[in-house]
């Protein structure tokens, strides 16, 4: 009744922002992401009749704030009548800071919970269960480039291209490590209710998905760069125009974007993307990784850079 799973975070190039159905956590838009290799979250789930309530340890410390969502995820995977669980989670990167830690955490929790309960679920079912807990987590059930399709009553995720087929690199510039001010679920609802740009964001998404999908299938870096930066800046425009406004960037985030613009002007194959946090992810071709990581590490205010390739799907690593 115990299992451990590892999942890697993914970052969206074509972003998910907005929910169609809050209760079932269905996204209002499809999205395309890349799963990262060097960052990971390892989650152990132990189901035990001896426990009177669920327990959660995150990086060695008791965590009450995430416990409700983790318990809800276990209820969905194992069933509400389940034994209580001891859940232990460890990430090798800052959590709740816009580095997609909820994606890897809920993907790993879903896989570990199914393993602990002895359930042999297909990947698409695991993705649906993980996605019900955190929309982006569904994509971490797949490696490489994944597309989350949002149609009908459910979500479906497909691998667009394997890691080996297009081994892009990502340089993550850490500009701050504190937790974000507004969690993404609350922030998405504020955007839906108040941003004057929300409806056009939703309307244009299928076009951006088509352009990005075609660029990935053609290994067209410039094409992917253009649509990804545009989609990222549109999402942040929706956030900025919300009331209250949600500005996840800091001054170092802006400086990193300028560094990427400078590298592009010098002919470097790189583009940026930023999620609900201040970190900048610079996606580049492997031959440009060194110059990109040096330039970002030297950008004033950058605390750390993490260089990563594209990673594998969430998986079970231990089961008893
Ligand atoms: O899955 P959530 O609720 O953590 O939302 C993810 C939102 C973004 O990271 C900003 C975009 C995305 O598609 O991952």
């Amino acid at each position: 009744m115990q299992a451990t799973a590892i999942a890697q975070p993914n970052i969206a190039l074509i972003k998910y922002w907005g929910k169609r159905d809050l209760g079932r956590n269905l996204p209002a838009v499809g999205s395309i992401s890349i799963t990262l290799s060097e960052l990971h979250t390892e989650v152990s789930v132990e189901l035990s009749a001896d426990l009177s309530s669920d327990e959660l340890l995150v990086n060695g410390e008791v965590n009450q704030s995430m416990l409700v969502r983790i318990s809800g995820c276990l209820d969905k995977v194992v069933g509400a009548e389940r034994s209580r669980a001891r859940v232990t989670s460890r990430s090798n990167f800052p959590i709740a800071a816009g580095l997609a830690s909820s994606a890897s955490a809920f993907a790993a929790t879903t896989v570990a919970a199914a393993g602990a309960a002895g359930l042999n679920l297909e990947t698409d079912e695991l993705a649906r269960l993980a996605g019900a807990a955190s929309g982006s987590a569904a994509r971490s059930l797949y490696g490489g480039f994944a597309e989350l399709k949002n149609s009908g009553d459910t979500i479906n995720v497909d691998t667009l291209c394997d890691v080996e087929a297009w081994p892009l690199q990502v340089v993550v510039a850490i500009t701050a490590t504190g937790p974000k001010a507004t969690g993404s679920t609350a922030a998405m609802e504020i955007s839906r209710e108040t941003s004057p740009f929300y409806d056009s964001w939703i309307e244009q998404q299928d076009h951006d998905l088509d352009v990005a999908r075609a660029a990935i299938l053609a290994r067209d870096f410039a094409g992917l760069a253009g649509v990804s930066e545009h989609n990222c800046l549109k999402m942040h425009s929706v956030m900025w125009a919300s009331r209250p406004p949600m500005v996840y960037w800091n001054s170092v985030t802006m400086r990193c974007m300028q560094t990427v613009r400078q590298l592009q002007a010098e002919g470097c194959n790189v583009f940026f993307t930023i999620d609900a946090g201040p970190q900048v992810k610079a996606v580049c071709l492997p031959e440009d990784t060194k110059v990109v990581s040096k330039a970002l590490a030297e950008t004033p205010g950058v605390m750390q850079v993490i260089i990563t390739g594209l990673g594998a799907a969430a998986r079970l690593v231990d089961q008893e």
Side-chain angles (χ1 to χ4, degrees):
M1 298 310 266
Q2 189 271 337
T4 302
I6 286 187
Q8 267 122 292
N10 68 78
I11 53 169
L13 303 182
I14 303 301
K15 311 282 188 191
Y16 148 50
W17 194 253
K19 295 185 198 283
R20 179 158 54 90
D21 182 330
L22 192 58
R24 288 185 298 160
N25 203 35
L26 291 177
V29 287
S31 53
I32 291 180
S33 67
I34 45 181
T35 299
L36 306 179
S37 59
E38 298 306 307
L39 312 183
H40 67 256
T41 302
E42 183 174 300
V43 174
S44 295
V45 173
E46 183 193 346
L47 294 165
S48 166
D50 298 339
L51 291 169
S52 56
S53 59
D54 291 336
E55 296 172 6
L56 174 65
L57 276 184
V58 177
N59 292 336
E61 284 175 22
V62 174
N63 186 312
Q64 291 297 343
S65 59
M66 285 297 284
L67 184 60
V68 176
R69 283 180 74 192
I70 291 287
S71 294
C73 178
L74 298 177
D75 287 348
K76 287 208 170 73
V77 178
V78 185
E81 304 303 311
R82 66 183 168 84
S83 304
R84 300 298 99 190
R86 185 172 290 126
V87 180
T88 314
S89 167
R90 265 189 194 281
S91 293
N92 68 345
F93 60 96
I95 57 170
L99 273 179
S101 57
S102 72
S104 52
F106 284 104
T109 301
T110 301
V111 174
L119 302 169
N120 197 8
L121 303 178
E122 298 287 340
T123 306
D124 58 353
E125 183 55 23
L126 289 167
R128 272 182 217 119
L129 290 163
S134 167
S136 56
R139 302 183 308 232
S140 279
L141 265 299
Y142 295 77
F145 293 78
E147 175 167 5
L148 186 151
K149 293 208 168 84
N150 179 43
S151 54
D153 249 13
T154 181
I155 56 164
N156 279 295
V157 188
D158 279 339
T159 298
L160 285 177
C161 166
D162 289 335
V163 181
E164 298 76 30
W166 205 18
L168 297 183
Q169 294 274 304
V170 182
V171 179
V172 183
I174 308 283
T175 70
T177 52
K180 56 188 160 201
T182 316
S184 46
T185 297
M188 285 181 200
E189 282 303 286
I190 294 171
S191 289
R192 186 179 63 76
E193 285 162 4
T194 66
S195 179
F197 303 150
Y198 185 79
D199 288 345
S200 52
W201 156 254
I202 304 289
E203 270 162 35
Q204 292 172 30
Q205 187 79 345
D206 282 347
H207 172 262
D208 289 3
L209 288 165
D210 289 345
V211 173
R213 189 184 314 108
I216 290 166
L217 296 178
R219 320 280 188 263
D220 169 8
F221 188 85
L224 185 61
V227 71
S228 299
E229 286 192 353
H230 180 59
N231 188 269
C232 164
L233 293 175
K234 274 196 298 189
M235 179 185 77
H236 285 278
S237 303
V238 171
M239 295 168 172
W240 282 43
S242 298
R243 302 190 84 164
M246 285 160 303
V247 179
Y248 287 102
W249 304 353
N250 59 37
S251 58
V252 187
T253 313
M254 280 299 289
R255 274 193 220 131
C256 291
M257 291 161 75
Q258 285 163 347
T259 297
V260 171
R261 281 279 177 269
Q262 182 61 36
L263 288 163
Q264 289 170 335
E266 290 162 10
C268 191
N269 291 293
V270 61
F271 65 88
F272 62 76
T273 189
I274 305 161
D275 293 296
Q279 329 304 356
V280 176
K281 294 100 179 193
V283 182
C284 62
L285 289 181
E287 55 269 33
D288 289 324
T289 312
K290 246 192 185 155
V291 63
V292 171
S293 60
K294 184 166 183 297
L296 283 170
E298 287 171 357
T299 299
V302 169
M303 300 166 74
Q304 185 194 352
V305 293
I306 301 169
I307 302 170
T308 169
L310 304 193
R315 60 218 171 265
L316 212 52
V317 291
D318 178 49
Q319 189 177 22
E320 284 166 23

